[in-house]
């Protein structure tokens, strides 16, 4: 009862502090809103305060408009709006005044949480002083861990800001109503990175290992892993090749060896903890790998030693997620979002590690033609590497049973994207469109253009039409750290060891060691292994290959099964599914600061080309 009363006091306090709040520069909250002695004299209320900040950690499909994964906003992995139109970013129309409706421009508004954390960090060390001498030491142990969590969360929010905008205003103490925000300026990129790294280091020194923390809270592994992500970004060509347009978006005089060494060592620190490992997906059994890769993302808790930090979800309380409803087929009354493009699907290798287009070609009519002497089936979805089957819903892939209205047509429950035509004597006698197409009988408007859906992150035990998901969302996992380490090694010309770690990911996925160019091998693994895990946009920016990625027009597939005079043939044909072309501009390497924010603080310098 005492704990309930404390929580009522705290959350009433937070509610009162929110009502009537005027959004101003950096979403500042007056310090006196959270300075009541009641909060800072009770470690349970302090923990509740921090839980409120945790609840505002953005993740994947929970915070993008219309429940899209963020990479759909940039069109570099999945198609947005089901291919009916392109986001403003892709078309080059992105601006400080037009950031699109689905980017969740509240990323800049994470300063509200940073303010809360600065208040917390200012007050946390005094909490134990309010307890009797016999309890002070034990309370200090608790508050030190909570302080580590707060430092991690502040670093996390700043990491998001830094990787989107570059250098940003760095605030390490609470703001108050009397502060002058008209003179606030952005810190340089280097200053911002150094500030964040310091927070991660201090957090890591205070936090417990994952095994000693409640699942979902910050851990030592999480602090070190996010430090690895940030330093990999900081060492990259985008910010450290000597060509940064100003000090807000890169280093003015970078020492590449030192930067890559720091990135390498940060990843190695995670590895050396010895508490993380890659899940065994069952290689060399390729079917097992495909199933276990899919199963990994539909887990209901974060206990896997590959999961470094993430969020668990319940169907009955908290912020609900509807991944199945958002990503599932329209023919089962779902919304069909998160479509991988044909460009992405055709990038999956075959199960022997060779490239898809070593065995298939697309002829002048746009038809997929098998030219292989090794893989002879005409179906382009046969013999692909296991992660393809764990990630993508493609035509005829087994998914979920149909509802009664379509069960007679599809008693098995496949993803159905083909048009079935029957001819007799040259005349069409019947034609039926696929149940999950834009011409299908159920919610046709939710059918996509590309012909594919994202299976990854869904749960085949959840009925999306009715149920919320309860599987986890993974913010960062060990596979990323392994690839971070490999990339830093590669940049430091330690190719042999880099190859070992690249192949570690490939072999776990049932693939042989890579052949050919090691840079391409690394980039393939990041693209495929980490598909739709909020990293691709950052990768193509880091590598400065946006021009190449967006030069290729996005396409999909149209499938026609023709039965003519008793003989059945199937053709897979490349079609262009997105209505607007990509239009690269140099400004796309950084996100613009909204005009409204600059109007509030005129000294905030806008990013290049906006």
């Amino acid at each position: 009862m005492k704990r309930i009363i404390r929580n009522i006091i705290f959350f009433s306090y937070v509610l009162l502090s929110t009502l009537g709040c005027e959004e101003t520069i950096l979403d500042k909250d007056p310090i006196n809103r959270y300075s009541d002695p009641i909060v800072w004299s009770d470690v349970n209320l302090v923990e509740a305060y921090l839980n409120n900040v945790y609840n505002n950690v953005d993740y994947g499909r929970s915070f993008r408009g219309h429940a899209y994964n963020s990479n759909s906003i940039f069109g570099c992995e999945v198609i947005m709006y089901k291919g009916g139109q392109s986001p403003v970013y892709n078309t080059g129309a992105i601006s400080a005044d037009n950031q699109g409706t689905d980017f969740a421009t509240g990323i800049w508004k994470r300063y509200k949480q940073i303010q809360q954390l600065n208040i917390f960090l200012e007050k946390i060390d005094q909490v134990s002083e309010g307890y009797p001498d016999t309890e002070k030491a034990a309370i200090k142990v608790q508050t030190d861990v909570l302080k580590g969590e707060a430092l991690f969360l502040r670093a996390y929010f700043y990491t998001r800001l830094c990787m989107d905008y570059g250098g940003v205003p760095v605030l390490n103490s609470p703001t108050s109503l009397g502060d002058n925000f008209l003179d606030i300026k952005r810190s340089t990129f280097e200053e911002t990175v150094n500030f964040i790294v310091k927070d991660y280091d201090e957090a890591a020194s205070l936090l417990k290992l994952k095994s000693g923390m409640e699942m979902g809270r910050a851990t030592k592994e999480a602090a070190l892993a996010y430090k690895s992500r940030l330093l990999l970004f900081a060492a990259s060509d985008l910010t450290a090749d000597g060509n940064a347009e100003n000090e807000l978006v890169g280093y003015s005089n970078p020492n590449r060896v030192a930067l890559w060494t720091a990135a390498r060592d940060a990843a190695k620190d995670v590895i050396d903890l010895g508490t993380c490992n890659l899940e065994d997906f069952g290689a060399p059994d390729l079917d097992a790998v495909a199933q276990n890769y899919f199963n990994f993302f539909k887990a209901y808790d974060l206990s896997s030693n590959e999961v470094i930090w993430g969020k668990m979800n319940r169907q009955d309380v908290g912020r609900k997620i509807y991944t199945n409803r958002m990503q599932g087929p329209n023919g089962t009354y779902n919304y069909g979002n998160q479509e991988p493009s044909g460009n992405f699907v055709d990038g999956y290798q075959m199960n022997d590690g060779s490239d898809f287009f070593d065995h298939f070609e697309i002829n002048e009519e746009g038809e997929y033609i098998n030219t292989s002497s090794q893989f002879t089936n005409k179906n382009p979805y046969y013999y692909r590497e296991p992660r393809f089957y764990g990630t993508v819903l493609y035509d005829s892939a087994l998914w979920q049973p149909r509802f009664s209205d379509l069960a007679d047509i599809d008693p098995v429950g496949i993803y159905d994207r083909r048009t079935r035509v029957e001819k007799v004597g040259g005349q069409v006698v019947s034609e039926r469109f696929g149940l999950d197409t834009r011409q299908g009988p159920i919610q046709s408007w939710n059918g996509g253009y590309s012909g594919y859906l994202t299976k990854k992150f869904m749960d085949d035990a959840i009925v999306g039409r009715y149920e919320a998901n309860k599987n986890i969302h993974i913010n960062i996992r060990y596979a990323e750290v392994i690839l971070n380490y490999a990339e830093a090694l590669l940049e430091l010309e330690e190719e042999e060891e880099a190859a070992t770690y690249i192949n570690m990911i490939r072999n776990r996925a049932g693939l042989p060691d890579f052949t050919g160019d090691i840079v391409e091998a690394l980039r393939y693994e990041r693209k495929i292994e980490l598909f739709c895990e909020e990293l691709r946009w950052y990768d193509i920016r880091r590598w400065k290959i946006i021009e190449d990625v967006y030069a290729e027009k996005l396409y999909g597939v149209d499938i026609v099964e023709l039965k003519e005079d008793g003989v059945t043939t199937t053709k897979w044909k490349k079609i262009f599914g997105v209505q607007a072309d990509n239009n690269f501009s140099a400004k796309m390497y950084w996100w613009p600061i909204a005009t409204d924010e600059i109007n509030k603080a005129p000294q905030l310098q806008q990013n290049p080309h906006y």
Side-chain angles (χ1 to χ4, degrees), residues 75-79 338-348 356-357 362 368 380-381 384 388 392-394 449-453 527-528 531 552-558 573-578:
C76 52
E77 285 183 310
V78 289
I79 296 173
Q338 300 287 95
E339 291 182 87
S341 65
N343 315 56
F344 197 90
V345 168
D346 290 348
Y348 277 92
F356 173 71
F357 284 114
I362 298 176
Y368 285 80
Y381 308 133
R384 305 297 283 276
F388 169 72
V392 179
L393 278 183
Y394 55 93
Y449 288 88
S450 80
Y452 305 105
L453 289 176
K527 177 180 178 181
I528 298 301
F531 171 77
E552 188 175 5
K553 186 176 175 65
L554 297 178
Y555 61 85
V557 64
D558 182 60
K573 187 174 182 179
K574 176 180 178 180
I575 59 170
F576 291 100
V578 177

Side-chain angles (χ1 to χ4, degrees), residues 18-240:
T18 303
L19 295 175
C21 174
E22 178 186 358
E23 293 294 335
T24 56
I25 176 64
L26 302 182
D27 296 294
K28 66 178 185 293
D29 286 317
I31 189 169
N32 60 4
R33 288 181 177 173
Y34 299 109
S35 62
D36 193 294
I38 294 175
V39 176
W40 305 108
S41 63
D42 187 316
V43 71
N44 296 307
L45 290 182
V46 168
E47 183 175 349
Y49 179 108
L50 196 60
N51 289 345
N52 184 55
V53 180
Y54 270 110
N55 288 336
N56 285 282
V57 172
D58 301 323
Y59 67 102
R61 290 150 297 284
S62 72
F63 73 101
R64 299 299 183 184
H66 300 98
Y68 285 101
N69 177 284
S70 68
N71 281 317
S72 66
I73 312 305
F74 315 117
C76 52
E77 285 183 310
V78 289
I79 296 173
M80 195 176 183
Y81 306 128
K82 302 177 181 66
Q85 64 186 92
S86 287
V88 295
Y89 179 85
N90 296 54
T91 62
I94 182 73
S95 71
D97 296 309
N98 181 17
Q99 300 190 10
T101 59
D102 287 289
F103 180 66
T105 52
I107 285 179
W108 188 265
K109 296 180 181 179
R110 293 307 89 179
Y111 275 103
K112 180 175 183 178
Q113 280 69 53
I114 290 170
Q115 165 74 352
Q116 292 171 340
L117 290 164
N118 283 339
I119 294 169
F120 183 96
L121 290 167
E122 182 181 72
K123 300 288 186 179
I124 187 64
D125 288 332
Q126 74 185 37
V127 173
S128 62
E129 296 304 313
Y131 281 79
D133 290 343
T134 55
E135 298 181 40
K136 283 182 179 179
I139 296 298
K140 185 66 163 60
V141 170
Q142 286 183 258
T143 58
D144 279 351
V145 175
L146 291 170
K147 181 177 182 179
E149 293 180 62
L151 286 164
F152 168 80
L153 289 169
R154 185 170 71 177
Y156 164 79
F157 288 125
Y158 268 119
T159 297
R160 293 287 312 281
L161 286 162
C162 181
M163 290 175 65
D164 284 355
Y165 296 100
V168 294
V170 171
L171 307 178
N172 61 359
S173 60
T175 58
S176 62
L177 285 176
D179 291 346
N180 180 9
F181 291 94
L182 295 180
D183 294 331
I184 196 167
K185 296 181 180 180
R186 296 171 62 179
S187 298
T188 68
F189 178 78
E190 182 174 8
E191 290 167 344
T192 304
V193 169
N194 290 345
F195 175 82
I196 299 170
V197 168
K198 183 176 180 294
D199 268 3
Y200 281 135
D201 284 340
E202 188 174 353
S205 72
L206 294 170
L207 288 167
K208 298 178 183 179
L209 294 170
K210 180 185 173 186
S211 59
M213 293 292 292
E214 180 183 0
M215 283 192 287
R217 302 192 78 88
T219 65
K220 185 183 295 290
E221 292 95 333
L224 296 177
Y226 268 98
K227 176 183 171 183
S228 164
R229 179 184 287 184
L230 175 67
L231 289 180
L232 190 80
F233 184 87
S236 72
D237 285 351
L238 176 64
T239 60

Side-chain angles (χ1 to χ4, degrees), residues 512-536:
D513 291 354
F514 73 87
T515 58
D517 184 81
I518 189 172
V519 173
E520 291 306 312
L522 171 81
R523 293 184 178 185
Y524 176 83
E525 289 307 314
R526 288 194 69 94
K527 177 180 178 181
I528 298 301
E529 175 67 27
L530 304 174
F531 171 77
C532 263
E533 295 183 40
E534 307 287 329
L535 291 167
R536 180 67 175 165

Side-chain angles (χ1 to χ4, degrees), residues 427-493:
Q427 299 297 314
V428 175
V429 296
S430 69
E431 182 179 43
R432 180 172 69 79
F433 294 103
L435 302 180
D436 301 306
T437 65
R438 292 188 67 82
Q439 299 80 31
I442 303 296
Q443 296 183 176
S444 59
W445 60 91
N446 277 327
Y449 288 88
S450 80
Y452 305 105
L453 289 176
T454 299
K455 178 181 178 182
K456 186 177 179 180
F457 312 122
M458 289 201 289
D459 181 352
D460 50 4
I462 294 296
V463 180
R465 183 180 183 182
Y466 304 120
E467 298 178 308
N469 281 65
K470 56 183 178 180
N471 47 312
I472 59 175
H473 175 83
I474 300 172
N475 289 322
I476 192 165
R477 61 187 175 104
Y478 190 51
E480 178 192 339
V481 174
I482 292 295
L483 292 171
N484 292 352
Y485 185 56
E487 184 169 348
L489 288 169
L490 182 56
E491 294 291 344
L492 291 169
E493 301 182 355

